[in-house]
Each structure stands twice: as structure tokens, then as C-alpha cells.
Amino acid sequence: MSMSKGEVKRESIKRDCLKMYVNGTGLRAIERVKGVHHTTVINWIKQVGKLLPDVYDPEVIPKVGELDKLQTYVKKNTEYLAVDSG
């Protein structure tokens, strides 16, 4: 059973919207660019989310992590603070 032209186009738009969401585009921005209501995009995200495994269990645990720049900045600047106990 093959898909009609309309179904193919809808699946293409759906795929594009989901890619945009995964790449960090906001729901209302997707709505403006693609012309698809943001609640429709939310429903698509929920549908795809049900297909994902419940827990991500990586086989290899990375030895190096990445710190947030703000955390690094705050940590660096707190090293210079001194408390005078009087």
C-alpha cells in the first residue's frame, strides 16, 4: 500500500519539524516557519517519544565531561573571595 502525495508531503513536513525541534528551534518558531500549529508539533514529539527507550544506558561512560561556562566563571571568581571572621 503506497502513500498518497498528501501523505508523503505531511510526513516530510513532520520530519522537518522534528529535526528543527531536536536542533533547538522553539515550538512557536517552528510554527512560524513551517505553518504547522505548535500543539501539532507537540503531539508529534510525544508520538516519537513513546518509541524511544525508557532509559539511556551507554556502554561506555565518558571520562571527560564538559562544564558550563557560567559554572566555570562562578567557580573561578569564588576562589578569590575571602571571609574575614573578625
Side-chain angles (χ1 to χ4, degrees):
M1 182 177 184
S2 63
M3 294 178 15
S4 69
K5 256 187 182 179
E7 291 172 327
V8 171
K9 184 174 181 178
R10 178 178 163 86
E11 285 299 313
S12 175
I13 291 171
K14 180 178 178 179
R15 191 177 320 110
D16 289 346
C17 291
L18 291 171
K19 281 182 186 178
M20 290 174 72
Y21 178 76
V22 168
N23 287 317
T25 306
L27 295 169
R28 294 195 187 264
I30 295 170
E31 179 179 34
R32 284 190 299 272
V33 171
K34 289 296 187 178
V36 177
H37 200 272
H38 65 276
T39 56
T40 302
V41 178
I42 291 169
N43 290 332
W44 290 341
I45 293 166
K46 287 179 181 179
Q47 287 174 357
V48 172
K50 290 178 183 176
L51 302 174
L52 298 174
D54 290 334
V55 178
Y56 174 69
D57 187 21
E59 293 180 15
V60 178
I61 298 173
K63 293 180 181 179
V64 178
E66 183 178 333
L67 292 177
D68 183 65
K69 289 179 183 178
L70 180 60
Q71 180 181 358
T72 305
Y73 174 79
V74 170
K75 172 68 175 163
K76 180 179 177 184
N77 289 326
T78 56
E79 290 174 0
Y80 299 110
L81 295 176
V83 177
D84 185 14
S85 59

Coordinates of all heavy atoms in Angstrom, one line a residue:
M1 N 0.8 -1.2 0.0 CA 0.0 0.0 0.0 C 0.9 1.2 0.0 O 1.7 1.5 0.9 CB -0.9 0.0 1.2 CG -1.9 1.1 1.3 SD -2.9 0.8 2.8 CE -4.0 2.1 2.6
S2 N 0.8 2.0 -1.0 CA 1.7 3.2 -1.1 C 0.9 4.4 -0.6 O -0.3 4.5 -0.5 CB 2.1 3.5 -2.6 OG 0.9 3.7 -3.4
M3 N 1.7 5.4 -0.2 CA 1.2 6.7 0.4 C 0.8 7.6 -0.7 O 1.5 7.7 -1.8 CB 2.2 7.3 1.3 CG 2.5 6.5 2.5 SD 3.7 7.0 3.7 CE 4.0 8.7 3.4
S4 N -0.2 8.4 -0.5 CA -0.6 9.4 -1.5 C 0.4 10.6 -1.4 O 1.2 10.7 -0.5 CB -2.0 9.9 -1.2 OG -2.1 10.6 0.0
K5 N 0.3 11.5 -2.4 CA 1.1 12.7 -2.4 C 1.0 13.5 -1.2 O 1.9 14.0 -0.6 CB 0.8 13.5 -3.6 CG 1.7 13.4 -4.7 CD 1.4 14.5 -5.8 CE 2.3 14.4 -7.0 NZ 2.0 15.3 -8.0
G6 N -0.3 13.6 -0.7 CA -0.5 14.4 0.5 C 0.1 13.8 1.7 O 0.6 14.5 2.6
E7 N 0.0 12.5 1.8 CA 0.6 11.8 3.0 C 2.2 11.9 3.0 O 2.8 12.1 4.0 CB 0.2 10.3 3.0 CG -1.2 10.1 3.3 CD -1.7 8.6 3.1 OE1 -1.2 8.0 2.2 OE2 -2.5 8.2 3.9
V8 N 2.7 11.8 1.8 CA 4.2 12.0 1.7 C 4.6 13.4 2.1 O 5.6 13.5 2.8 CB 4.7 11.7 0.2 CG1 6.1 12.0 0.0 CG2 4.4 10.2 -0.1
K9 N 3.9 14.4 1.6 CA 4.2 15.7 2.0 C 4.1 16.0 3.5 O 4.9 16.6 4.1 CB 3.3 16.7 1.2 CG 3.6 18.2 1.5 CD 2.9 19.1 0.6 CE 3.3 20.5 0.9 NZ 2.6 21.5 0.1
R10 N 3.0 15.4 4.1 CA 2.8 15.6 5.5 C 3.9 14.9 6.3 O 4.4 15.5 7.3 CB 1.4 14.9 5.9 CG 1.1 15.0 7.4 CD -0.2 14.4 7.7 NE -0.4 14.1 9.1 CZ -0.8 14.9 10.0 NH1 -1.1 16.2 9.7 NH2 -0.9 14.5 11.3
E11 N 4.3 13.7 5.9 CA 5.4 13.1 6.6 C 6.7 13.8 6.4 O 7.5 13.9 7.4 CB 5.6 11.6 6.1 CG 4.6 10.7 6.5 CD 4.5 10.5 8.0 OE1 5.6 10.3 8.6 OE2 3.4 10.6 8.6
S12 N 6.9 14.5 5.3 CA 8.1 15.3 5.1 C 8.1 16.5 6.0 O 9.1 16.8 6.6 CB 8.2 15.7 3.6 OG 9.3 16.6 3.4
I13 N 7.0 17.1 6.1 CA 6.9 18.3 7.0 C 7.0 17.9 8.4 O 7.7 18.6 9.2 CB 5.5 19.0 6.8 CG1 5.4 19.7 5.4 CG2 5.2 20.0 7.9 CD1 4.1 20.2 5.0
K14 N 6.5 16.8 8.8 CA 6.6 16.2 10.2 C 8.1 16.0 10.5 O 8.6 16.4 11.5 CB 5.8 15.0 10.3 CG 5.8 14.3 11.7 CD 4.9 13.1 11.7 CE 5.0 12.4 13.0 NZ 4.1 11.2 13.0
R15 N 8.8 15.3 9.6 CA 10.2 15.0 9.8 C 11.0 16.3 9.9 O 11.8 16.4 10.8 CB 10.7 14.2 8.6 CG 12.1 13.6 8.8 CD 12.6 12.7 7.6 NE 11.5 11.9 7.1 CZ 11.0 12.0 5.9 NH1 11.4 13.0 5.1 NH2 10.1 11.2 5.4
D16 N 10.7 17.3 9.1 CA 11.4 18.6 9.1 C 11.2 19.3 10.5 O 12.1 19.8 11.1 CB 11.0 19.5 8.0 CG 11.4 19.1 6.6 OD1 12.3 18.2 6.6 OD2 10.9 19.6 5.6
C17 N 9.9 19.3 10.9 CA 9.6 19.9 12.2 C 10.3 19.2 13.4 O 10.8 19.9 14.3 CB 8.1 19.9 12.5 SG 7.1 21.0 11.4
L18 N 10.3 17.9 13.4 CA 11.0 17.2 14.4 C 12.5 17.4 14.4 O 13.1 17.6 15.5 CB 10.7 15.7 14.3 CG 9.3 15.3 14.6 CD1 9.0 13.8 14.3 CD2 8.9 15.5 16.1
K19 N 13.1 17.5 13.2 CA 14.5 17.8 13.1 C 14.8 19.2 13.7 O 15.8 19.4 14.4 CB 15.0 17.8 11.6 CG 15.2 16.4 11.1 CD 15.7 16.5 9.7 CE 15.9 15.2 9.0 NZ 16.3 15.3 7.6
M20 N 13.9 20.2 13.3 CA 14.1 21.5 13.9 C 14.0 21.5 15.4 O 14.8 22.2 16.0 CB 13.0 22.5 13.3 CG 13.2 22.7 11.8 SD 11.8 23.7 11.1 CE 12.1 25.3 11.8
Y21 N 13.1 20.8 15.9 CA 12.9 20.7 17.4 C 14.2 20.1 18.1 O 14.7 20.6 19.0 CB 11.7 19.9 17.8 CG 11.5 19.8 19.2 CD1 11.0 20.8 20.0 CD2 11.8 18.6 19.9 CE1 10.8 20.7 21.4 CE2 11.7 18.5 21.3 CZ 11.2 19.6 22.0 OH 11.0 19.5 23.4
V22 N 14.7 19.0 17.5 CA 15.8 18.4 18.0 C 17.1 19.3 18.0 O 17.9 19.3 18.8 CB 16.1 17.0 17.3 CG1 17.5 16.5 17.6 CG2 15.0 16.0 17.6
N23 N 17.1 20.1 17.0 CA 18.2 21.0 16.8 C 18.1 22.3 17.6 O 18.9 23.3 17.4 CB 18.5 21.3 15.3 CG 19.1 20.2 14.6 OD1 20.0 19.5 15.1 ND2 18.6 19.9 13.4
G24 N 17.0 22.4 18.4 CA 16.9 23.5 19.3 C 16.0 24.6 18.9 O 15.9 25.7 19.6
T25 N 15.2 24.5 17.9 CA 14.3 25.5 17.4 C 13.1 25.4 18.3 O 12.6 24.3 18.6 CB 13.9 25.3 16.0 OG1 15.1 25.2 15.2 CG2 13.0 26.4 15.5
G26 N 12.6 26.6 18.8 CA 11.4 26.6 19.6 C 10.1 26.2 18.9 O 10.1 26.3 17.6
L27 N 9.1 25.8 19.7 CA 7.9 25.3 19.1 C 7.2 26.4 18.3 O 6.7 26.2 17.2 CB 7.0 24.8 20.2 CG 7.5 23.5 20.9 CD1 6.6 23.3 22.1 CD2 7.5 22.4 19.9
R28 N 7.1 27.6 18.8 CA 6.5 28.7 18.1 C 7.3 29.2 16.8 O 6.7 29.6 15.8 CB 6.1 29.9 19.0 CG 5.1 29.4 20.0 CD 4.5 30.6 20.8 NE 3.7 30.2 21.9 CZ 2.4 30.0 21.8 NH1 1.7 30.3 20.7 NH2 1.7 29.6 22.9
A29 N 8.6 29.0 16.9 CA 9.4 29.3 15.7 C 9.1 28.3 14.6 O 9.0 28.7 13.4 CB 10.9 29.4 16.1
I30 N 9.0 27.1 15.0 CA 8.7 26.0 14.0 C 7.3 26.3 13.4 O 7.1 26.2 12.2 CB 8.7 24.6 14.7 CG1 10.1 24.2 15.1 CG2 8.1 23.6 13.7 CD1 10.1 23.0 16.0
E31 N 6.4 26.8 14.3 CA 5.0 27.1 13.8 C 5.1 28.2 12.7 O 4.4 28.1 11.7 CB 4.2 27.6 15.0 CG 2.8 28.0 14.6 CD 1.9 28.4 15.8 OE1 2.5 29.0 16.8 OE2 0.7 28.1 15.8
R32 N 5.9 29.2 13.0 CA 6.0 30.4 12.1 C 6.7 29.9 10.7 O 6.2 30.3 9.7 CB 6.8 31.5 12.7 CG 6.1 32.3 13.7 CD 6.9 33.5 14.1 NE 8.2 33.2 14.7 CZ 8.4 33.0 16.0 NH1 7.4 33.0 16.8 NH2 9.6 32.8 16.4
V33 N 7.7 29.1 10.8 CA 8.5 28.8 9.6 C 7.7 27.7 8.8 O 7.7 27.9 7.6 CB 9.9 28.2 10.0 CG1 10.6 27.6 8.9 CG2 10.7 29.3 10.7
K34 N 7.2 26.7 9.4 CA 6.6 25.6 8.7 C 5.0 25.7 8.5 O 4.4 25.0 7.8 CB 6.9 24.3 9.4 CG 8.3 23.9 9.3 CD 8.6 23.6 7.8 CE 10.0 23.0 7.6 NZ 10.3 22.8 6.2
G35 N 4.4 26.7 9.3 CA 3.0 26.8 9.2 C 2.2 25.7 9.8 O 1.0 25.5 9.5
V36 N 2.8 25.0 10.8 CA 2.1 23.9 11.5 C 1.9 24.4 12.9 O 2.9 24.9 13.6 CB 3.0 22.6 11.5 CG1 2.4 21.5 12.3 CG2 3.3 22.2 10.1
H37 N 0.7 24.2 13.4 CA 0.4 24.7 14.8 C 1.3 24.0 15.8 O 1.6 22.9 15.7 CB -1.1 24.5 15.1 CG -1.6 25.3 16.2 ND1 -1.4 24.9 17.5 CD2 -2.2 26.5 16.2 CE1 -2.0 25.9 18.3 NE2 -2.4 26.9 17.5
H38 N 1.8 24.8 16.8 CA 2.7 24.3 17.8 C 2.2 23.1 18.6 O 2.9 22.2 18.9 CB 3.2 25.4 18.7 CG 2.2 26.0 19.6 ND1 1.3 27.0 19.2 CD2 1.8 25.7 20.9 CE1 0.5 27.3 20.2 NE2 0.8 26.5 21.2
T39 N 0.9 23.0 18.8 CA 0.3 21.9 19.5 C 0.4 20.6 18.7 O 0.6 19.5 19.2 CB -1.1 22.1 20.0 OG1 -1.9 22.4 18.8 CG2 -1.2 23.2 21.0
T40 N 0.3 20.8 17.3 CA 0.5 19.6 16.5 C 2.0 19.1 16.6 O 2.2 17.9 16.7 CB 0.2 20.0 15.0 OG1 -1.1 20.5 14.9 CG2 0.4 18.8 14.1
V41 N 2.9 20.0 16.6 CA 4.3 19.6 16.8 C 4.5 18.9 18.1 O 5.2 17.9 18.2 CB 5.3 20.8 16.6 CG1 6.7 20.4 16.8 CG2 5.1 21.5 15.3
I42 N 3.9 19.5 19.2 CA 4.0 18.8 20.5 C 3.5 17.4 20.4 O 4.1 16.5 21.0 CB 3.2 19.6 21.5 CG1 3.9 21.0 21.8 CG2 3.1 18.8 22.8 CD1 3.1 21.9 22.6
N43 N 2.3 17.2 19.8 CA 1.8 15.8 19.6 C 2.7 14.9 18.9 O 2.9 13.7 19.2 CB 0.4 15.9 19.0 CG -0.6 16.5 19.9 OD1 -0.5 16.5 21.1 ND2 -1.6 17.1 19.2
W44 N 3.4 15.4 17.8 CA 4.3 14.6 17.1 C 5.5 14.2 18.0 O 6.0 13.1 17.9 CB 4.8 15.4 15.8 CG 3.8 15.5 14.7 CD1 2.6 14.8 14.6 CD2 3.8 16.4 13.7 NE1 2.0 15.2 13.5 CE2 2.7 16.2 12.9 CE3 4.7 17.4 13.3 CZ2 2.4 17.0 11.7 CZ3 4.4 18.2 12.2 CH2 3.3 18.0 11.4
I45 N 6.0 15.2 18.8 CA 7.1 14.9 19.7 C 6.7 13.8 20.7 O 7.5 12.9 20.9 CB 7.5 16.2 20.4 CG1 8.1 17.2 19.4 CG2 8.5 15.9 21.5 CD1 8.2 18.6 19.9
K46 N 5.5 13.9 21.2 CA 5.0 12.9 22.1 C 4.9 11.5 21.5 O 5.3 10.5 22.1 CB 3.7 13.3 22.7 CG 3.7 14.4 23.7 CD 2.3 14.7 24.2 CE 2.4 15.9 25.2 NZ 1.0 16.2 25.6
Q47 N 4.5 11.5 20.2 CA 4.4 10.2 19.5 C 5.7 9.6 19.3 O 5.9 8.4 19.6 CB 3.8 10.4 18.1 CG 2.3 10.7 18.1 CD 1.8 11.0 16.7 OE1 2.5 11.1 15.8 NE2 0.4 11.2 16.6
V48 N 6.7 10.4 18.9 CA 8.1 9.8 18.7 C 8.7 9.5 20.0 O 9.4 8.5 20.1 CB 8.9 10.9 17.9 CG1 10.4 10.5 17.9 CG2 8.4 11.1 16.5
G49 N 8.4 10.2 21.1 CA 9.0 10.0 22.4 C 8.5 8.6 22.9 O 9.3 7.9 23.6
K50 N 7.3 8.2 22.6 CA 6.9 6.8 23.0 C 7.7 5.7 22.4 O 7.7 4.6 22.9 CB 5.4 6.7 22.7 CG 4.5 7.5 23.5 CD 3.0 7.4 23.1 CE 2.2 8.3 24.0 NZ 0.8 8.2 23.5
L51 N 8.3 6.0 21.3 CA 9.1 5.0 20.6 C 10.5 4.8 21.1 O 11.2 3.8 20.9 CB 9.2 5.3 19.1 CG 7.9 5.4 18.3 CD1 8.1 5.9 16.9 CD2 7.1 4.1 18.3
L52 N 10.9 5.8 21.9 CA 12.3 5.8 22.5 C 12.3 4.9 23.7 O 11.3 4.7 24.4 CB 12.7 7.2 22.9 CG 12.8 8.2 21.8 CD1 13.1 9.6 22.3 CD2 13.8 7.8 20.8
P53 N 13.5 4.3 24.0 CA 13.6 3.5 25.2 C 13.5 4.4 26.5 O 13.7 5.6 26.5 CB 15.1 2.9 25.1 CG 15.8 3.8 24.2 CD 14.7 4.4 23.2
D54 N 13.0 3.7 27.6 CA 12.8 4.5 28.8 C 14.1 5.0 29.4 O 14.1 6.1 30.0 CB 12.1 3.6 29.8 CG 10.6 3.3 29.4 OD1 10.1 4.1 28.7 OD2 10.1 2.2 29.8
V55 N 15.1 4.3 29.3 CA 16.4 4.7 30.0 C 17.5 4.5 29.0 O 17.6 3.6 28.3 CB 16.7 3.8 31.2 CG1 18.0 4.1 31.8 CG2 15.6 3.8 32.2
Y56 N 18.3 5.6 28.9 CA 19.5 5.5 28.1 C 20.7 4.9 28.9 O 21.0 5.5 30.0 CB 19.9 6.9 27.6 CG 21.2 7.0 26.9 CD1 21.3 6.4 25.6 CD2 22.3 7.6 27.4 CE1 22.5 6.4 24.9 CE2 23.5 7.6 26.7 CZ 23.6 7.0 25.5 OH 24.8 7.1 24.8
D57 N 21.2 3.8 28.5 CA 22.3 3.2 29.2 C 23.5 3.0 28.3 O 23.6 2.1 27.6 CB 21.8 1.8 29.7 CG 22.8 1.1 30.6 OD1 23.6 1.8 31.2 OD2 22.7 -0.1 30.7
P58 N 24.4 4.0 28.4 CA 25.6 4.0 27.5 C 26.5 2.8 27.9 O 26.6 2.5 29.1 CB 26.2 5.3 27.7 CG 25.8 5.8 29.1 CD 24.4 5.2 29.2
E59 N 27.1 2.2 26.9 CA 28.0 1.1 27.2 C 29.4 1.7 27.7 O 30.0 1.1 28.5 CB 28.2 0.3 25.9 CG 27.0 -0.5 25.5 CD 27.2 -1.3 24.2 OE1 28.4 -1.5 23.8 OE2 26.2 -1.7 23.7
V60 N 29.7 2.8 27.2 CA 31.0 3.5 27.6 C 30.7 4.8 28.3 O 30.0 5.6 27.8 CB 31.9 3.7 26.3 CG1 33.2 4.4 26.7 CG2 32.1 2.5 25.6
I61 N 31.2 4.9 29.5 CA 31.0 6.1 30.3 C 32.1 7.0 29.9 O 33.3 6.7 30.1 CB 31.0 5.8 31.8 CG1 29.8 4.9 32.1 CG2 30.9 7.1 32.6 CD1 29.7 4.4 33.5
P62 N 31.9 8.3 29.5 CA 32.9 9.2 29.1 C 33.8 9.6 30.3 O 33.2 9.7 31.4 CB 32.2 10.4 28.6 CG 30.8 10.3 28.9 CD 30.5 8.8 29.3
K63 N 35.1 9.7 30.1 CA 36.0 10.0 31.2 C 36.1 11.6 31.4 O 36.5 12.0 32.4 CB 37.4 9.4 31.0 CG 37.4 7.9 31.1 CD 38.7 7.4 30.8 CE 38.7 5.9 30.9 NZ 40.0 5.3 30.6
V64 N 35.7 12.3 30.4 CA 35.8 13.8 30.4 C 34.5 14.3 30.2 O 33.7 14.0 29.4 CB 36.8 14.3 29.3 CG1 36.8 15.8 29.3 CG2 38.1 13.6 29.4
G65 N 34.1 15.3 31.1 CA 32.8 16.0 31.0 C 33.1 17.4 30.6 O 34.2 17.9 30.7
E66 N 32.0 18.1 30.2 CA 32.1 19.5 29.8 C 31.4 20.3 30.8 O 30.2 20.1 31.2 CB 31.5 19.7 28.4 CG 31.6 21.1 27.9 CD 31.0 21.2 26.5 OE1 31.0 20.2 25.8 OE2 30.6 22.3 26.2
L67 N 32.1 21.3 31.4 CA 31.5 22.2 32.3 C 30.8 23.4 31.6 O 31.3 23.8 30.6 CB 32.5 22.8 33.3 CG 33.1 21.8 34.3 CD1 34.2 22.5 35.1 CD2 32.1 21.2 35.2
D68 N 29.8 23.9 32.2 CA 29.1 25.0 31.7 C 30.0 26.2 31.9 O 30.7 26.4 32.9 CB 27.8 25.2 32.4 CG 27.0 26.4 31.9 OD1 26.6 26.3 30.7 OD2 26.8 27.3 32.6
K69 N 30.0 27.2 31.0 CA 30.9 28.3 31.1 C 30.6 29.2 32.3 O 31.4 29.7 33.0 CB 30.8 29.2 29.8 CG 31.5 28.5 28.6 CD 31.4 29.4 27.4 CE 31.9 28.7 26.2 NZ 31.8 29.4 25.0
L70 N 29.3 29.3 32.6 CA 28.9 30.1 33.7 C 29.4 29.5 35.0 O 29.9 30.2 35.9 CB 27.4 30.3 33.8 CG 26.8 31.1 35.0 CD1 27.4 32.5 34.9 CD2 25.3 31.1 34.9
Q71 N 29.3 28.2 35.1 CA 29.7 27.5 36.3 C 31.2 27.7 36.5 O 31.7 27.9 37.6 CB 29.4 26.0 36.2 CG 29.9 25.2 37.4 CD 29.6 23.7 37.3 OE1 29.0 23.3 36.3 NE2 30.0 22.9 38.2
T72 N 32.0 27.6 35.4 CA 33.4 27.8 35.4 C 33.7 29.2 35.8 O 34.6 29.4 36.7 CB 34.0 27.5 34.0 OG1 33.6 26.2 33.6 CG2 35.5 27.6 34.0
Y73 N 33.0 30.2 35.3 CA 33.2 31.6 35.7 C 32.9 31.8 37.2 O 33.7 32.4 37.9 CB 32.3 32.5 34.8 CG 32.3 33.9 35.2 CD1 33.4 34.7 34.8 CD2 31.3 34.5 36.0 CE1 33.4 36.1 35.1 CE2 31.4 35.8 36.3 CZ 32.4 36.6 35.9 OH 32.4 37.9 36.2
V74 N 31.8 31.3 37.7 CA 31.5 31.4 39.1 C 32.5 30.8 40.0 O 33.0 31.3 40.9 CB 30.1 30.9 39.4 CG1 29.8 30.9 40.9 CG2 29.0 31.7 38.7
K75 N 32.9 29.6 39.6 CA 33.9 28.8 40.4 C 35.2 29.6 40.4 O 35.8 29.8 41.5 CB 34.1 27.4 39.8 CG 35.2 26.6 40.4 CD 34.9 26.2 41.8 CE 36.1 25.3 42.3 NZ 36.1 25.2 43.8
K76 N 35.7 30.1 39.3 CA 36.9 30.8 39.2 C 36.9 32.1 40.1 O 37.8 32.4 40.8 CB 37.2 31.2 37.7 CG 38.5 32.0 37.5 CD 38.7 32.3 36.1 CE 39.9 33.1 35.9 NZ 40.1 33.5 34.5
N77 N 35.8 32.8 40.0 CA 35.7 34.0 40.8 C 35.5 33.8 42.3 O 35.8 34.7 43.1 CB 34.6 34.9 40.2 CG 35.0 35.5 38.9 OD1 36.2 35.8 38.7 ND2 34.1 35.6 38.0
T78 N 34.9 32.7 42.7 CA 34.7 32.4 44.1 C 36.0 32.1 44.8 O 36.1 32.2 46.0 CB 33.6 31.3 44.4 OG1 34.1 30.2 43.7 CG2 32.3 31.8 43.9
E79 N 37.0 31.7 44.0 CA 38.3 31.3 44.6 C 39.0 32.6 45.2 O 39.8 32.5 46.1 CB 39.2 30.7 43.6 CG 38.7 29.3 43.2 CD 39.5 28.7 42.0 OE1 40.4 29.3 41.5 OE2 39.2 27.5 41.7
Y80 N 38.6 33.7 44.7 CA 39.2 35.0 45.1 C 38.6 35.6 46.3 O 39.0 36.6 46.9 CB 39.3 36.0 44.0 CG 40.1 35.5 42.8 CD1 39.5 35.1 41.6 CD2 41.5 35.3 42.9 CE1 40.2 34.7 40.5 CE2 42.2 34.8 41.8 CZ 41.6 34.5 40.6 OH 42.3 34.1 39.6
L81 N 37.4 35.1 46.7 CA 36.7 35.6 47.9 C 37.3 35.1 49.2 O 37.7 34.0 49.3 CB 35.2 35.2 47.8 CG 34.4 35.7 46.7 CD1 33.0 35.1 46.7 CD2 34.3 37.2 46.7
A82 N 37.4 36.0 50.1 CA 37.9 35.7 51.5 C 36.9 36.1 52.5 O 36.3 37.2 52.4 CB 39.2 36.3 51.7
V83 N 36.8 35.4 53.5 CA 35.8 35.7 54.6 C 36.6 36.2 55.8 O 37.5 35.4 56.3 CB 34.9 34.5 55.0 CG1 34.0 34.8 56.1 CG2 34.2 34.0 53.8
D84 N 36.3 37.4 56.3 CA 37.0 37.9 57.5 C 36.2 37.6 58.7 O 35.1 38.1 58.9 CB 37.2 39.4 57.3 CG 38.0 40.0 58.4 OD1 38.7 39.2 59.2 OD2 38.1 41.2 58.6
S85 N 36.7 36.7 59.6 CA 35.9 36.3 60.8 C 36.1 37.3 61.9 O 35.6 37.1 63.0 CB 36.3 34.9 61.2 OG 37.7 34.9 61.5
G86 N 36.9 38.3 61.7 CA 36.9 39.4 62.6 C 37.9 39.5 63.6 O 38.1 40.0 64.6

